[in-house]
Amino acid sequence: MDNAYQAEVLADKSQKYWVEALPNPFFVQFSSDEEQKIADATEALGAMCQEFLDWFFSEDNPGDVDARLRALCIKPAYWEAIKASWDRTQPEDLSLYVRFDLAVPEWDGPPKLLEINGETPLLGCETVYQWNWLADMLENQAGDLPPGASQANEFWDLVSDQLDAIIRTYGTNGKIFSFLVDERLNEDIEMAAQLIQMIEDSSIGQYCQVVFLRDQLDERGNLQQRGIGMDNEGYLVDHTNHRMPFIWKIYDWSDLQNDVEAMGKTDLFAKRLVTGEVKVLEPLWKQVLSNKGSLAFIWAKFKDHPTYAPYLLETHFESGVGAEVTKLLCKQHVRKPFLGLEGVATTISDGSLMLESRESFGYGEEGFVIQEYTPLPTAFDYYYMVGSWLVGGLEDGKPAGFIIRGDKSQITGRHCLIIPHVVSDHLVAGY
């Protein structure tokens, strides 16, 4: 990516997205023990997710899996495709990465899992940018850095290796790898560009293309480039009307499904997904992992687990009944929609009193979970959460470092602040 463009975007003072756009920039410092604690939590949560999904997609009685998918309000037309995605072995539907959003206590105690971002996790670019930030700081010998400053950040190398493994496993050499992006969102375009750069830096020889969601018109309204479409057999097609057999998408599944439904081709599209003729990153089973209703299933299954339970917050379906749900509703808790992203439709309440809320933007009709409240740490008047990356498989994936999102609200929203971090056992106040 062009460094001048990158700097311009990150330092946009009106957006206040990167700390360098603030009058007084700062960073967050972690000790090596804290870094290891986050990495340990990330590995444990990956293993937990593997165990959870093995249970979710197994049946003691006929219809168990369908009942769980129904509880998550996932559209029935896609149930078979989602189940096939988890069960497929020739070749397996592989994961690129997962980001666990964690509340890391300022003092003692384990990190707490807030959300699982498995289907369309962003912030990969920002994870790399913060490495560039540290390199610049070290090169300029910034006096504000502690001695021996490093960073929890192996994102580029580990993601490059996993992309290589996925491409080789899928046998896509000679086929086009299509990156579906929303042309209105710079962060989506940047994320796609970063992944394409990783592929081009390798020796795979994989051809890539970016496909926009919508038709592109010139200033006179004439068509310049078509957006994605669908043919009569249910295959997604690119701007040249060619089928796309290998797809990366930051295009959320719920939005994609709604668009396909509007075209009247849901059944055809679902059949293509069942067969695995179209390979998608991230795979369809990630819909289950990213659905916040899964946090309620996870709590019920692992609340007494000696390894996993310390990382979990009590979570229930809002529609549930019983003493546990009632007790949680009567104390400070967080209400989250199954499919909401970036804090939309999320509220924090103390019994019957609402303390904070975000706009719904149409989310929430699918259902809500209620989650135990845990305080977020603060830095320079920003509440922040840690997004910790697990690259590769859930059970055998590798922690790849983390990125920090800060907000003036305890509900971290879309227009948050990206805060770099350093790791050092020498105390310093930041800058």
Side-chain angles (χ1 to χ4, degrees):
M1 177 170 295
D2 180 74
N3 289 332
Y5 171 74
Q6 173 184 324
E8 179 183 348
V9 171
L10 294 178
D12 182 348
K13 294 186 183 300
S14 64
Q15 188 179 11
K16 295 182 179 178
Y17 183 60
W18 183 259
V19 287
E20 299 299 328
L22 300 180
N24 297 300
F26 63 94
F27 57 83
V28 175
Q29 181 177 338
F30 295 86
S31 69
S32 57
D33 286 345
E34 289 171 324
E35 177 189 20
Q36 188 61 52
K37 186 182 293 187
I38 294 170
D40 291 344
T42 303
E43 284 190 321
L45 291 170
M48 180 197 72
C49 288
Q50 176 75 37
E51 193 172 332
F52 163 67
L53 290 172
D54 281 338
W55 165 82
F56 188 95
F57 287 109
S58 64
E59 293 190 335
D60 292 327
N61 301 293
D64 282 351
V65 177
D66 288 354
R68 293 167 193 147
L69 291 165
R70 184 179 298 108
L72 299 182
C73 295
I74 292 175
K75 294 182 178 182
Y78 296 97
W79 289 358
E80 289 306 312
I82 293 170
K83 288 186 283 188
S85 175
W86 180 254
D87 293 337
R88 196 162 16 242
T89 58
Q90 298 297 325
E92 181 183 359
D93 284 14
L94 297 174
S95 168
L96 180 57
Y97 42 48
V98 174
R99 196 186 80 239
F100 297 112
D101 283 349
L102 308 172
V104 178
E106 293 184 87
W107 308 111
D108 278 338
K112 294 292 185 179
L113 176 64
L114 301 170
E115 297 181 5
I116 302 170
N117 298 274
E119 195 233 316
T120 55
L122 277 167
L123 303 184
C125 288
E126 290 82 350
T127 304
V128 174
Y129 296 161
Q130 70 169 350
W131 179 261
N132 296 337
W133 166 87
L134 178 62
D136 288 343
M137 293 284 284
L138 292 172
E139 183 179 349
N140 295 324
Q141 298 181 336
D144 298 300
L145 286 181
S150 62
Q151 197 175 86
N153 198 336
E154 296 182 75
F155 185 85
W156 184 279
D157 290 340
L158 291 178
V159 173
S160 295
D161 289 346
Q162 182 64 3
L163 277 171
D164 181 280
I166 288 171
I167 289 170
R168 294 182 189 280
T169 298
Y170 288 176
T172 60
N173 196 358
K175 299 178 182 178
I176 298 175
F177 189 176
S178 300
F179 287 74
L180 307 189
V181 299
D182 188 334
E183 67 282 358
R184 301 175 302 182
L185 300 175
N186 282 335
E187 60 265 38
D188 291 16
I189 297 172
E190 289 182 56
M191 189 75 182
Q194 182 186 85
L195 295 175
I196 291 171
Q197 185 64 56
M198 290 178 179
I199 293 169
E200 290 179 348
D201 285 349
S202 73
S203 59
I204 302 172
Q206 175 69 51
Y207 178 73
C208 302
Q209 67 172 355
V210 172
V211 182
F212 292 148
L213 303 190
R214 303 167 190 84
D215 292 346
Q216 301 298 296
L217 308 178
D218 63 20
E219 57 187 14
R220 297 182 179 179
N222 299 315
L223 181 66
Q224 284 189 313
Q225 178 177 308
R226 289 179 50 185
I228 64 168
M230 180 166 284
D231 67 17
N232 291 328
E233 294 184 41
Y235 289 91
L236 291 173
V237 296
D238 63 16
H239 50 283
T240 62
N241 209 38
H242 286 92
R243 291 175 176 175
M244 295 184 284
F246 188 21
I247 295 170
W248 174 89
K249 60 167 201 61
I250 206 67
Y251 186 16
D252 189 69
W253 266 116
S254 59
D255 293 331
L256 176 58
Q257 291 167 358
N258 289 337
D259 289 346
V260 171
E261 185 176 357
M263 290 186 278
K265 296 181 179 180
T266 294
D267 290 342
L268 286 171
F269 182 51
K271 287 179 181 177
R272 300 282 78 79
L273 297 174
V274 169
T275 62
E277 297 166 85
V278 176
K279 286 293 184 185
V280 184
L281 282 178
E282 297 287 344
L284 271 65
W285 55 261
K286 287 286 188 76
Q287 288 185 66
V288 172
L289 204 57
S290 291
N291 188 302
K292 294 181 185 64
S294 284
L295 296 172
F297 280 129
I298 287 171
W299 171 256
K301 184 167 179 58
F302 298 118
K303 61 184 178 182
D304 298 317
H305 194 284
T307 302
Y308 307 148
Y311 301 121
L312 302 181
L313 295 170
E314 181 178 357
T315 307
H316 301 285
F317 290 104
E318 185 184 48
S319 58
V321 294
E324 288 184 324
V325 178
T326 303
K327 285 173 63 177
L328 185 53
L329 284 169
C330 290
K331 60 184 181 181
Q332 195 161 348
H333 63 274
V334 184
R335 181 176 185 253
K336 299 178 178 180
F338 289 176
L339 300 178
L341 305 171
E342 298 173 318
V344 298
T346 297
T347 59
I348 300 176
S349 300
D350 187 0
S352 60
L353 179 64
M354 185 180 294
L355 303 177
E356 292 192 51
S357 65
R358 292 276 189 184
E359 280 190 80
S360 66
F361 297 108
Y363 287 94
E365 294 180 2
E366 70 280 5
F368 287 87
V369 294
I370 53 169
Q371 185 181 68
E372 173 189 355
Y373 169 82
T374 190
L376 294 177
T378 58
F380 296 86
D381 298 323
Y382 281 88
Y383 298 98
Y384 69 86
M385 66 170 63
V386 171
S388 184
W389 294 98
L390 183 75
V391 175
L394 297 174
E395 197 168 26
D396 58 358
K398 297 179 181 178
F402 51 84
I403 189 72
I404 300 173
R405 300 170 68 210
D407 205 304
K408 292 293 187 178
S409 167
Q410 294 189 83
I411 304 172
T412 308
R414 178 174 186 80
H415 300 291
C416 61
L417 180 72
I418 302 300
I419 306 170
H421 76 275
V422 300
V423 177
S424 175
D425 292 326
H426 300 273
L427 295 178
V428 69
Y431 82 113

